[in-house]
Amino acid sequence: MKRAPPARGIAAAGAEALALLDPVRGALQSPIRAEIFGCMRFQQHGRSLGEAHAAQWQSRRADAFFPRIEENIRVLREAQHYIGVQAHTGHHVSPAGEWLLDNFYVVLAQVKEIHDGLPRRYYRDLPVLLDAHLAGLPRVYGVAWALVAHTDSAFDEELLVHFLLAYQETRELTLGELWALPTTLRVVLVENLRRLSERVAATKAAREAANLWCDTLDEPGSIDAQPVFDAMDRRGVTPAFALQVMHRLHADPRAGSPQGERNRELVRAALSRALPDPAATQLALQAEEAADNMSVGNAITSLRLLGDTEWRELIARTSVLMQRMQTSPVFTAERDDTQDGTLHAIERLARRSGRSELAVADALLSLMHAAPDPLMPDAAAQSESPSYWLRGAGGPALRRAIGLRPVELPGWSQLRPRLTLSVYLASLALGSASLTLALMLHVATPDAATAWLIVTALLALWPASEAVVAGVNRLISEWVPPRRLPRLALADGIPAEHRVLVVMPVMLVDVAGVRRLAAQLERHSLANRELHAQFALLTDHVDADTEHIEADAALLAEAMAAIDAIEARHPSGADVPRRFLLLHRERRFSETEQRWIGWERKRGKLEQLLALLAGADSSPSPFVDLGSRSQPAVQTRYVVTLDSDTQLPPNTLRELVGVAAHPLNQPRVDARGRRVVAGYGILQPRIVTPLPTARESTPFHWLFAGQCGIDPYSAASSELYQDVFDAGTFTGKGLLHVQAMHQVLAGRFVEGRILSHDLAEGAIARCAGVSDIALIESAPMHADAAAARVQRWARGDWQLLPLLLQRRRFELRAVDRWKMLDNLRRSLVAPASLLLVLLSLAGGPLAPWKALLLVAAAYGAGGLLGALAGLAPRRDSIALEYFYRHALADLGRAAGAPL
């Protein structure tokens, strides 16, 4: 509709006032306000509302309801701006206007919360009401509307709890509806604030327009008063406008000219029709303004309280589903995110089966509490965990219990990992061959000998494979969400039955080094203050030509003194095992090294420690008797092994034990005791690089270390083998399950043959990558240190070749064999790339620029893809200049790394 031209005088009110008074916008909507209920009356209303709220799931084809968020914000800004202009020019502002001016930032903050938590399909998965006047409205929207209306927008947590419990006595709310309630309450409160602020601003604009209109009554020319009152009536501001006009006429009753007197008579006639009872209208308007003042204050206060409320605790008190699941001890002990995963899985099953969430939960609890099948030992060990029935091997039984057909063909669970790996390897092989063939189609010397063409193609295949592997892995990581293992909360700390020993396998080199190691061990303890945790240096002397050398005794004495000193600073207390330990071994003669060394170096230390903790008969003990310093607590269940330069962030120890202690993650060894077949014997956290100091930072570190520090906004990152194949990769720093590791690894490897044991141990003991838990370890600052590390890794990788040739003896899975082969392939990429570049520069068949481009792709494809993906902001409310400056810096670093 076209805006009607304003009356003479009113046009001077300004664009903001005219926009607020435009009758095309329709009458002002009444605030969301009804009779105020107390607790008892609210409970009665909840029961009656539940009876009246018949609802059903919405059809996927139906248009989802979505509130008018953007329009409300626009009107709120318009009203706040107009009231602010009036206050700035010295006009009186009502208390409601002052609330809006002083607390508009609260409204904007909640609007951000609404935008973050309200996608376009937010209400699509929630039940909708069937009543004729509410048809299509989400049921939770009706619940929130009733709560706001009957509390005058005042948020009271206890009142809300009583109301929701009473409502669910007659109508169960789904968990999704309860989680939608905080955002829906924000939506309804903002809707109410829009109505209130628009009325406050429009009422003030009406008074301003009335004053300006009355100022023109004595000007030449006649006026038509009735259309002005009709326009105000269509906008719903007649009382304020008419009362202000009446006040002006009473304040200045005489006209300055005959025409002015006639104009005033016309106005009085129109005024008598619009304002038949001025006194009653005045009282009603004053009461309305007082109520609006209270409602605005309540709404803004409630928006602030909504942000401070612990909604998970509130929902736990009001959700019938959560209360039913709390009867499971395992569910109660689980961490919030694991509980949420269970509850969301129940929601999905309820939607698919057409049953209520409570019916699915009852079926789940019945299975959990039933006697385990003696033919299914895995189920016997895990049946009390909801995750076993929802995400584990018990899934088919639960689906049958609720009347769902099996979603998988018989034997599919065993076939799927093999098929997934086959597709993955086939894509890598096809991609590598295709890239190599594409490079060789147009060679620089077409008449080159066939032998040279074959040699060039074989050399190009290695960097081509590296580029394809990096690209495919990056694409999978972007596509597959990180996998989060279930875990226990351990809110009161690590319990005695899950006692843990943190060890640092190190060598005693010099006095300063011993003191640094002791200080690092103390830092681990201070960051993880757990009653049932011990911290130990697991030490050897340096390699020597004789069994003992002169410096041995002094270094061991220094180590004992350092351990005693930190134990004295942090005493354990009475009846509590010693907190800091020193587990030291003497040298043995190595036939392969022809020197006196600690038996099997790091692997031997850990194997002997696990045997000691597992209670294996080992007389004499492999560790030197140092009294209480060398006596770990009995029944220690886990060992966390860290390198000397690895940092253990605060509470990381509890998080690792929480994952390991969950029943679904407990390792289960096959009947022959050869390997872990279910659960996990090792947990491998993500390794991140610390932020370097200005003095430590080097260009090499900037290029190759990648992102440094822990990002608090990224709880987990993708670990491809864990997320896709359920097979994490052990890198030597993580949590070890004592009994499982000792059972499957004790005496398993040939002595003196295995240097890089981490990958093999992770394959046999079944490693899980927990990428949402991080350890911190520095990256090399210089190229020589990085080269030494790569050389050491490559040597260890090739030492695993006999394991591949004896795969049946070690019973390695196909994915584990591929990881070992992939490491061997990666170790050959650098020499093959160098030879390819030299051959092309010497006039070989392949053009030099193609060879250089291929090598650059091999070493930069993964990083470039990640940097390019990082150029897309994940949130709207972000400082774009700052974001793109750092995103482009990452892109430049990724492009510069392979050069």
Side-chain angles (χ1 to χ4, degrees):
M1 294 179 62
K2 185 178 180 180
R3 179 183 295 181
R8 186 180 69 183
I10 293 180
E16 294 90 350
L18 292 177
L20 288 166
L21 296 175
D22 188 359
V24 174
R25 299 172 66 163
L28 293 170
Q29 293 178 296
S30 300
I32 304 173
R33 192 163 56 211
E35 179 185 356
I36 306 300
F37 290 161
C39 184
M40 297 298 295
R41 181 68 181 88
F42 229 130
Q43 289 178 310
Q44 295 175 1
H45 182 62
R47 297 185 190 97
S48 61
L49 197 65
E51 292 175 352
H53 274 182
Q56 68 178 12
W57 294 105
Q58 187 173 212
S59 171
R60 290 288 179 179
R61 298 180 180 179
D63 292 334
F65 164 82
F66 197 79
R68 52 177 187 178
I69 302 298
E70 298 299 333
E71 182 184 347
N72 285 347
I73 299 308
R74 179 183 58 79
V75 174
L76 274 167
R77 289 184 181 275
E78 179 186 31
Q80 188 259 357
H81 176 71
Y82 178 74
I83 295 171
V85 170
Q86 293 294 304
H88 185 69
T89 55
H91 290 80
H92 171 71
V93 176
S94 67
E98 291 178 352
W99 267 102
L100 195 64
L101 292 177
D102 294 341
N103 298 276
F104 197 65
Y105 70 95
V106 176
V107 179
L108 295 181
Q110 294 305 311
V111 168
K112 181 181 181 302
E113 293 286 339
I114 293 173
H115 277 295
D116 291 345
L118 193 63
R120 293 298 304 180
R121 54 175 296 170
Y122 184 76
Y123 291 106
R124 183 181 294 277
D125 296 330
L126 301 180
V128 295
L129 296 170
L130 300 177
D131 295 339
H133 66 292
L134 296 175
L137 186 73
R139 180 168 59 186
V140 67
Y141 199 79
V143 170
W145 193 284
L147 182 70
V148 171
H150 292 290
T151 59
D152 192 17
S153 300
F155 177 75
D156 187 308
E157 184 174 330
E158 291 301 320
L159 193 64
L160 173 61
V161 170
H162 288 300
F163 173 64
L164 293 177
L165 290 176
Y167 184 99
Q168 292 182 96
E169 291 179 12
T170 56
R171 186 79 61 180
E172 177 191 342
L173 291 170
T174 68
L175 187 66
E177 288 178 297
L178 289 174
W179 274 115
L181 188 58
T183 298
T184 306
L185 281 173
R186 290 185 175 97
V187 169
V188 176
L189 286 170
V190 170
E191 169 72 28
N192 199 25
L193 266 179
R194 172 253 174 89
R195 298 182 179 200
L196 290 163
S197 61
E198 187 177 19
R199 186 155 79 167
V200 169
T203 299
K204 191 159 190 62
R207 292 193 177 102
E208 179 188 1
N211 286 328
L212 294 172
W213 190 52
C214 289
D215 290 342
T216 66
L217 295 181
D218 292 332
E219 294 180 1
S222 61
I223 65 168
D224 190 357
Q226 192 58 44
V228 176
F229 281 92
D230 289 344
M232 296 298 170
D233 187 60
R234 290 197 301 272
R235 186 61 176 134
V237 293
T238 299
F241 181 81
L243 285 172
Q244 188 65 22
V245 170
M246 184 185 70
H247 173 73
R248 286 293 304 272
L249 292 180
H250 288 171
D252 190 13
R254 296 183 180 180
S257 64
Q259 183 62 47
E261 186 59 36
R262 285 193 294 271
N263 288 341
R264 289 170 182 268
E265 288 300 325
L266 292 173
V267 171
R268 290 189 182 97
L271 190 61
S272 65
R273 292 189 292 271
L275 203 63
D277 189 350
T281 303
Q282 178 73 33
L283 289 175
L285 190 61
Q286 290 176 350
E288 187 179 88
E289 289 182 354
D292 288 351
N293 293 336
M294 179 68 71
S295 297
V296 171
N298 287 344
I300 291 176
T301 302
S302 295
L303 285 174
R304 185 183 290 110
L305 291 175
L306 286 175
D308 297 335
T309 300
E310 292 291 340
W311 280 102
R312 200 179 195 287
E313 294 181 5
L314 191 148
I315 290 173
R317 296 171 59 189
T318 56
S319 169
V320 181
L321 173 62
M322 289 190 70
Q323 292 173 0
R324 189 71 56 88
M325 289 303 300
Q326 292 288 351
T327 60
S328 164
V330 175
F331 179 86
T332 304
E334 287 177 335
R335 209 172 73 169
D336 290 351
D337 53 357
T338 303
Q339 291 184 355
D340 291 343
T342 295
L343 297 172
H344 293 323
I346 292 174
E347 286 184 277
R348 291 190 294 270
L349 287 176
R351 287 294 302 270
R352 290 177 51 199
S353 65
R355 299 193 176 200
S356 69
E357 293 173 355
L358 278 182
V360 176
D362 288 338
L364 171 62
L365 291 171
S366 297
L367 290 171
M368 291 167 57
H369 297 155
D373 187 345
L375 300 178
M376 299 177 64
D378 287 350
Q382 306 176 58
S383 60
E384 294 184 357
S385 168
S387 300
Y388 174 78
W389 302 100
L390 292 168
R391 296 184 288 273
L398 176 60
R399 285 189 285 272
R400 286 194 299 269
I402 60 177
L404 282 176
R405 294 180 179 180
V407 296
E408 296 179 352
L409 297 174
W412 173 249
S413 59
Q414 289 77 26
L415 179 61
R416 181 175 54 189
R418 299 178 184 177
L419 182 60
T420 303
L421 181 62
S422 298
V423 172
Y424 173 70
L425 294 180
S427 64
L428 296 182
L430 182 61
S432 302
S434 300
L435 181 56
T436 304
L437 181 61
L439 285 169
M440 299 302 296
L441 283 178
H442 302 286
V443 294
T445 54
D447 57 344
T450 303
W452 282 111
L453 291 175
I454 294 175
V455 170
T456 303
L458 289 176
L459 291 176
L461 182 62
W462 299 101
S465 68
E466 181 68 8
V468 170
V469 168
V472 170
N473 289 356
R474 170 60 68 174
L475 292 175
I476 294 176
S477 298
E478 294 288 339
W479 176 50
V480 178
R483 181 174 181 178
R484 299 177 67 95
L485 296 180
R487 61 204 65 197
L488 302 183
L490 304 184
D492 298 324
I494 298 174
E497 61 270 21
H498 293 286
R499 176 176 289 279
V500 61
L501 172 63
V502 179
V503 299
M504 292 169 51
V506 294
M507 300 183 73
L508 302 180
V509 179
D510 53 41
V511 172
V514 169
R515 292 172 181 172
R516 284 195 300 270
L517 294 172
Q520 179 76 325
L521 194 70
E522 184 178 17
R523 283 191 289 270
H524 294 332
S525 171
L526 291 174
N528 296 268
R529 302 288 292 180
E530 298 289 343
L531 179 63
H532 300 294
Q534 291 179 296
F535 299 82
L537 292 180
L538 194 55
T539 60
D540 283 333
H541 287 304
V542 296
D543 300 352
D545 295 327
T546 59
E547 183 177 2
H548 301 286
I549 61 175
E550 184 178 353
D552 289 350
L555 289 175
L556 182 59
E558 181 64 32
M560 289 190 292
I563 290 295
D564 289 342
I566 56 177
E567 178 70 27
R569 287 196 293 270
H570 313 285
S572 303
D575 301 326
V576 177
R578 183 186 175 100
R579 187 171 183 81
F580 297 95
L581 305 176
L582 178 63
L583 301 171
H584 181 74
R585 300 187 306 171
E586 295 290 359
R587 299 183 185 90
R588 292 188 189 180
F589 186 75
S590 171
E591 294 291 340
T592 56
E593 296 289 330
Q594 288 297 301
R595 299 196 76 192
W596 291 84
I597 65 173
W599 179 75
E600 290 295 288
R601 303 192 187 279
K602 178 183 175 181
R603 183 181 70 80
K605 280 189 283 193
L606 289 174
E607 182 175 327
Q608 291 177 329
L609 174 63
L610 293 172
L612 175 66
L613 296 176
D617 184 16
S618 56
S619 296
S621 171
F623 299 101
V624 176
D625 185 3
L626 302 176
S628 61
R629 304 183 192 89
S630 58
Q631 295 177 4
V634 296
Q635 297 181 342
T636 296
R637 194 166 189 175
Y638 308 109
V639 167
V640 173
T641 175
L642 305 172
D643 288 346
S644 60
D645 58 345
T646 306
Q647 300 177 34
L648 189 66
N651 296 323
T652 300
L653 190 59
R654 184 182 301 186
E655 292 181 17
L656 279 172
V657 174
V659 176
H662 193 278
L664 199 64
N665 301 327
Q666 290 290 311
R668 285 165 297 285
V669 181
D670 63 359
R672 296 178 300 160
R674 301 289 294 171
R675 59 188 299 268
V676 176
V677 295
Y680 307 99
I682 300 175
L683 298 181
Q684 174 61 61
R686 177 165 53 110
I687 305 298
V688 300
T689 304
L691 293 170
T693 63
R695 294 179 59 186
E696 294 175 337
S697 182
T698 63
F700 178 86
H701 182 273
W702 182 83
L703 274 176
F704 292 98
Q707 291 284 356
C708 298
I710 297 177
D711 181 4
Y713 302 103
S714 300
S717 62
S718 179
E719 208 279 83
L720 181 138
Y721 288 109
Q722 178 66 33
D723 299 336
V724 179
F725 304 107
D726 192 21
T729 303
F730 185 42
T731 61
K733 295 160 282 282
L735 181 142
L736 315 177
H737 189 283
V738 169
Q739 293 292 342
M741 291 285 289
H742 173 67
Q743 188 172 354
V744 300
L745 289 174
R748 194 71 179 273
F749 299 121
V750 178
E751 186 174 337
R753 301 295 183 186
I754 302 295
L755 175 66
S756 182
H757 50 86
D758 302 331
L759 190 58
E761 289 175 343
I764 298 171
R766 203 159 186 266
C767 173
V770 280
S771 59
D772 54 340
I773 302 175
L775 301 177
I776 302 175
E777 187 172 281
S778 299
M781 292 292 176
H782 302 281
D784 54 349
R789 174 187 285 189
V790 171
Q791 189 271 340
R792 186 173 66 253
W793 288 347
R795 177 189 171 193
D797 292 335
W798 282 96
Q799 286 182 337
L800 294 180
L801 186 58
L803 272 67
L804 284 171
L805 301 177
Q806 306 174 50
R807 62 184 182 86
R808 292 187 177 180
R809 172 188 172 187
F810 292 96
E811 301 182 17
L812 300 176
R813 292 179 295 173
V815 65
D816 296 315
R817 297 197 299 274
W818 159 247
K819 286 194 286 187
M820 294 181 183
L821 284 172
D822 188 42
N823 282 356
L824 301 183
R825 178 200 62 80
R826 190 178 297 112
S827 69
L828 296 176
V829 170
S833 299
L834 178 61
L835 290 175
L836 178 66
V837 171
L838 293 176
L839 181 61
S840 65
L841 293 175
L846 191 64
W849 70 269
K850 286 187 177 182
L852 291 172
L853 185 62
L854 178 62
V855 172
Y859 287 97
L864 279 173
L865 285 175
L868 288 172
L871 290 176
R874 302 297 178 92
R875 303 188 303 274
D876 294 331
S877 55
I878 195 169
L880 292 180
E881 180 182 354
Y882 177 86
F883 171 81
Y884 280 113
R885 184 167 66 247
H886 286 268
L888 291 173
D890 289 341
L891 182 61
R893 177 169 53 210
L899 299 180

